[in-house]
């Protein structure tokens, strides 16, 4: 018997009430539609607290598995299950359960978890467990039923008009769908930390705009290519909408020549923040985001963080402030950006570095050092010279179909 392959997308309903919940669900469905545009998907709909993805009849078995890997990385997704759609009769359901358990890979113990969402189906959950359980016992005689902690659970969900059966399930990243929390501007270097910071904001539902400061024309453009590669990783699950590249080398050179060496880094950072804030205003973003963590390097002492924050009015988020480097590396590996970030690239931060940076910058000294710098004039020039890369983000992308029309 041939059953249509499906994926059920589960999300946490915790804290989702009334209007919030409808916005969340609509957003998640829309995001999945855009992100799965290249997958052989027939339809995406909502069924009682889950999103249902139905594949094209001609799609092979590997298509849903591949799509599920992607869905699991999409913010707002708590769990992803792959299985079959079945008619609402126990014969078909039992056969679908047989096929689902057959594809479950290596296991020793199993159990059936039935759920009836509609009382218009005469057989209740307990009876579903019994009937399907008995059927499977006969087909898998050397496997054992285990009620607690079974290796595989065969889920049978009976909803209005249909039943869904699956034995394969994996955890999603959780969080909230991108586009439910407004827009932020993330300062993205090609280093290890800032991609992780950006990912954390995307996972909380923010639409992320990256800003990368390149050392060009004083350095090569390597860091720009790496940052673009990083954005392409985040793009897969809607984690970045756009990246602005700022050719910053000449301004850094000017700053390096005019301020005391020890204060260079703090002053580069303050100027970077100002540019990022102007971009944020233009974009309608309401916060700046960095990958700083307390004490990690000289520029990340409390005094220097304060001196950096002092340069702008907009709120600055530092999602990694309390993280250990090892935790950040682990996250970067999971995210898929670690290898890209581990490549060497001279960016604006390696350019004109002082030998002994100030670790406790005092604002008065900083103001004195900045007195001769023409930040306003420079930032006007920079705003005119910004380079823009756009990514496929559900918030700003209307799909191939829209483009063709
Ligand atoms: P990262 O691994 O993110 O580069 P880091 O540990 O190297 O961080 P710093 O180089 O001090 O630390 O940078 C601190 C933060 O400043 C970065 O996380 C990033 O948000 C921002 N930043 C630094 N350099 C750049 C850059 N070239 N372009 C954009 N943002 C930058
Ligand atoms: Mg860095």
């Amino acid at each position: 018997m041939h059953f249509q392959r499906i994926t059920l997308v589960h999300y946490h309903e915790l804290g989702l009430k009334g209007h919030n919940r409808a916005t969340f669900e609509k957003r998640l469905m829309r995001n999945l539609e855009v992100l799965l545009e290249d997958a052989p998907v027939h339809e995406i709909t909502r069924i009682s607290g889950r999103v249902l993805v139905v594949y094209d009849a001609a799609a092979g078995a590997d298509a849903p598995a591949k799509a599920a890997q992607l869905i699991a990385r999409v913010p707002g997704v708590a769990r992803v299950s792959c299985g079959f759609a079945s008619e609402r009769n126990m014969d078909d359901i039992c056969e679908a359960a047989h096929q689902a358990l057959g594809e479950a890979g290596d296991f020793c113990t199993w159990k059936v978890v039935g759920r009836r969402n509609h009382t218009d189906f005469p057989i209740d959950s307990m009876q579903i467990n019994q009937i399907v359980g008995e059927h499977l016992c006969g087909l898998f005689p050397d496997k054992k039923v285990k009620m607690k902690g079974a290796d595989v659970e065969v889920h049978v969900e009976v909803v209005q008009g249909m039943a869904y059966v699956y034995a394969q399930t994996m955890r999603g990243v959780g969080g909230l769908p991108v586009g439910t929390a407004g827009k932020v501007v993330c300062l993205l270097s090609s280093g290890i930390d800032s991609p992780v910071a950006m990912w954390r904001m995307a996972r909380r539902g923010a639409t992320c705009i990256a800003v990368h400061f390149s050392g060009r024309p004083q350095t090569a453009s390597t860091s720009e290519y790496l940052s673009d590669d990083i954005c392409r990783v985040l793009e897969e699950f809607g984690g970045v909408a756009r990246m602005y590249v700022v050719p910053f080398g000449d301004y850094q050179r000017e700053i390096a020549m005019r301020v005391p060496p020890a204060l260079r880094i703090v002053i580069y950072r303050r100027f970077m923040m100002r540019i990022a804030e102007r971009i944020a205003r233009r974009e309608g973003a309401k916060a700046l985001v960095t990958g700083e963590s307390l004490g990690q390097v000289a520029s990340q002492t409390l005094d220097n963080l304060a001196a950096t924050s002092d340069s702008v009015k907009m709120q600055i988020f530092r999602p990694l402030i309390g993280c250990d480097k090892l935790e950040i590396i682990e996250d970067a590996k999971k995210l898929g950006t670690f290898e890209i970030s581990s490549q060497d690239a001279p960016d604006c931060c390696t350019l004109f570095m002082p030998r002994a940076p100030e670790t406790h910058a005092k604002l008065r000294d900083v103001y004195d050092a900045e007195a001769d710098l023409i930040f306003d004039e420079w930032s006007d020039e920079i705003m005119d010279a910004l380079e823009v890369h756009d990514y496929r983000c559900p918030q700003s992308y209307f799909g191939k179909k829209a483009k063709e029309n």
Side-chain angles (χ1 to χ4, degrees), residues 184-190 194 198 208-214 227 231 240 242-248 271-280 283 285 287-289 348 382-383 386-387 391:
V184 298
V185 161
C186 304
L187 285 87
L188 182 73
S189 72
S190 57
S194 43
M198 183 152 100
C208 294
I209 308 288
V211 179
H212 176 68
F213 294 85
S214 153
S227 301
C231 286
V240 60
R242 169 173 277 188
M243 175 170 72
Y244 288 91
V245 174
V246 182
F248 198 59
F271 190 38
M272 281 161 61
M273 285 294 173
R274 289 188 182 210
I275 307 287
E277 187 183 43
R278 277 189 70 169
I279 293 174
E283 281 281 348
L288 305 176
V289 178
C348 68
I382 288 174
M383 291 305 282
L386 292 174
E387 291 158 29
Y391 300 95

Side-chain angles (χ1 to χ4, degrees), residues 189-194 269 347 349:
S189 72
S190 57
I192 294 167
D193 306 338
S194 43
R269 276 292 139 71
D347 69 351
C349 288

Side-chain angles (χ1 to χ4, degrees), residues 250-325:
D250 287 343
Y251 300 96
Q252 242 183 312
R253 188 161 161 268
E254 287 294 318
I255 295 172
M257 289 191 310
R258 297 180 197 202
V259 309
L263 289 178
R264 272 181 202 165
I265 299 182
V266 169
I267 292 175
Y268 300 153
R269 276 292 139 71
R270 285 169 55 89
F271 190 38
M272 281 161 61
M273 285 294 173
R274 289 188 182 210
I275 307 287
E277 187 183 43
R278 277 189 70 169
I279 293 174
R281 293 243 158 79
R282 185 187 275 187
E283 281 281 348
K286 297 201 177 99
L288 305 176
V289 178
T290 77
E292 289 157 314
S293 74
L294 187 62
Q296 198 187 83
V297 288
S299 56
Q300 297 173 21
T301 61
L302 275 184
D303 283 329
N304 289 3
L305 291 171
T308 307
S309 300
D310 167 82
S311 59
V312 291
K313 285 214 184 76
M314 192 170 284
Q315 57 189 338
I316 302 175
F317 294 148
R318 298 179 167 98
L320 307 183
I321 196 69
C323 292
D324 242 46
K325 191 74 185 186

